[in-house]
Amino acid sequence: LKSVRSFLLYFFPCWPGQAAMSAKNVQDTMEGMVPELLDLKANGIFSEHEVYDIVRTRKRFEFKISSPNCEKPDFLQYIKFVVKTEAERRRRVKARRIRKSMRSAKESIRLLHSVFNKALHKYKGDKALWYQYLDFCLSAGSTRALSGAVMRALRFFARDEGLWILAADREMKLGRVDSCRALLQRGLRNNPSSVKLLAEHFRFECIAAQRMSEARLVSAAG
């Protein structure tokens, strides 16, 4: 089971519909998962039978979300399965007191990003789905993905005060003061009567002024 293809052929000796483009895309996706699955098996986190079940279930979901007839629940069920599997992986790693870095620790997060982005590509106007993805980015510590997702969401929901505030907050935490101010001002142009955005803009200017004053004091003391 050393090679990617032999791994897949071991579990699925007759890969269905390889001539179809959707099947080819699914196969490529599944092949990308092999190093993670081998890592789980090699470290004794999941048994060979359990790895088989993971492959079979992921393959079924990959075909579902690749279909033109896929629906939002298909994506959400896939996400739920990956989250459940990752929670069990973490539990077993902790129980076995495995401290070394494992490739599988990052791959589940990568897969969840992939499924969320495919879902959002199909359901761009679903605000609840966008917020679900933003919550995932926050909980996973995916700061770069979070910043990008907020800006993408604003293309469709420019009247959403919360998104403007979240986007500005991300820029502030990264130390991008001018970008934070610009976002809040753009938000106000799109929502001129928003009390929340006005209050956030005032709070930001107070923080910016305080930081500038502290920087001057440090500079003068030096």
Side-chain angles (χ1 to χ4, degrees):
L1 298 182
K2 290 184 179 180
S3 73
V4 169
R5 193 163 296 279
S6 65
F7 180 88
L8 289 174
L9 290 175
Y10 175 78
F11 286 121
F12 301 101
C14 297
W15 191 269
Q18 286 189 341
M21 182 60 69
S22 62
K24 178 63 169 61
N25 291 337
V26 170
Q27 182 178 358
D28 290 343
T29 300
M30 296 302 297
E31 287 183 358
M33 298 177 186
V34 170
E36 169 206 359
L37 298 169
L38 288 174
D39 181 58
L40 291 169
K41 183 175 179 295
N43 285 283
I45 306 302
F46 291 115
S47 66
E48 186 170 300
H49 178 73
E50 288 173 321
V51 170
Y52 172 87
D53 285 340
I54 292 171
V55 172
R56 182 182 59 184
T57 304
R58 285 187 183 182
K59 182 181 78 85
R60 177 166 55 82
F61 277 123
E62 287 292 337
F63 270 109
K64 272 189 174 183
I65 66 174
S66 296
S67 168
N69 300 320
C70 69
E71 298 180 353
K72 181 181 174 181
D74 296 325
F75 292 99
L76 297 180
Q77 288 169 15
Y78 192 5
I79 289 167
K80 184 178 179 180
F81 171 75
V82 177
V83 169
K84 183 179 178 181
T85 304
E86 173 60 11
E88 180 61 18
R89 184 198 70 81
R90 292 185 180 185
R91 188 191 69 78
R92 295 188 186 188
V93 167
K94 184 177 181 180
R96 289 166 172 74
R97 298 182 179 179
I98 298 174
R99 300 185 183 279
K100 67 177 181 178
S101 178
M102 294 179 61
R103 178 167 187 163
S104 54
K106 298 179 181 179
E107 290 303 310
S108 291
I109 302 300
R110 183 197 61 77
L111 177 58
L112 286 167
H113 278 296
S114 174
V115 178
F116 264 117
N117 279 302
K118 288 175 182 177
L120 289 168
H121 181 73
K122 185 176 177 69
Y123 298 101
K124 299 180 180 68
D126 192 320
K127 187 187 292 189
L129 186 59
W130 278 103
Y131 269 104
Q132 189 173 347
Y133 180 48
L134 296 176
D135 286 341
F136 163 68
C137 290
L138 280 168
S139 63
S142 303
T143 55
R144 183 178 297 180
L146 175 62
S147 296
V150 174
M151 297 308 299
R152 283 161 50 206
L154 282 171
R155 299 176 191 171
F156 308 104
F157 308 106
R159 300 299 300 274
D160 190 304
E161 303 164 315
L163 287 174
W164 286 108
I165 292 171
L166 179 57
D169 179 68
R170 297 308 307 168
E171 294 301 299
M172 191 65 175
K173 287 180 178 178
L174 292 170
R176 301 169 182 166
V177 176
D178 291 339
S179 179
C180 177
R181 180 182 288 110
L183 280 168
L184 289 170
Q185 290 173 350
R186 281 177 58 193
L188 283 167
R189 284 197 295 271
N190 282 279
N191 303 272
S193 60
S194 171
V195 175
K196 285 183 179 180
L197 279 169
L198 281 169
E200 188 65 21
H201 193 281
F202 177 74
R203 187 181 75 87
F204 158 75
E205 293 297 350
C206 289
I207 293 173
Q210 182 181 356
R211 289 185 179 181
M212 186 177 295
S213 177
E214 289 173 352
R216 286 174 179 170
L217 288 173
V218 171
S219 178

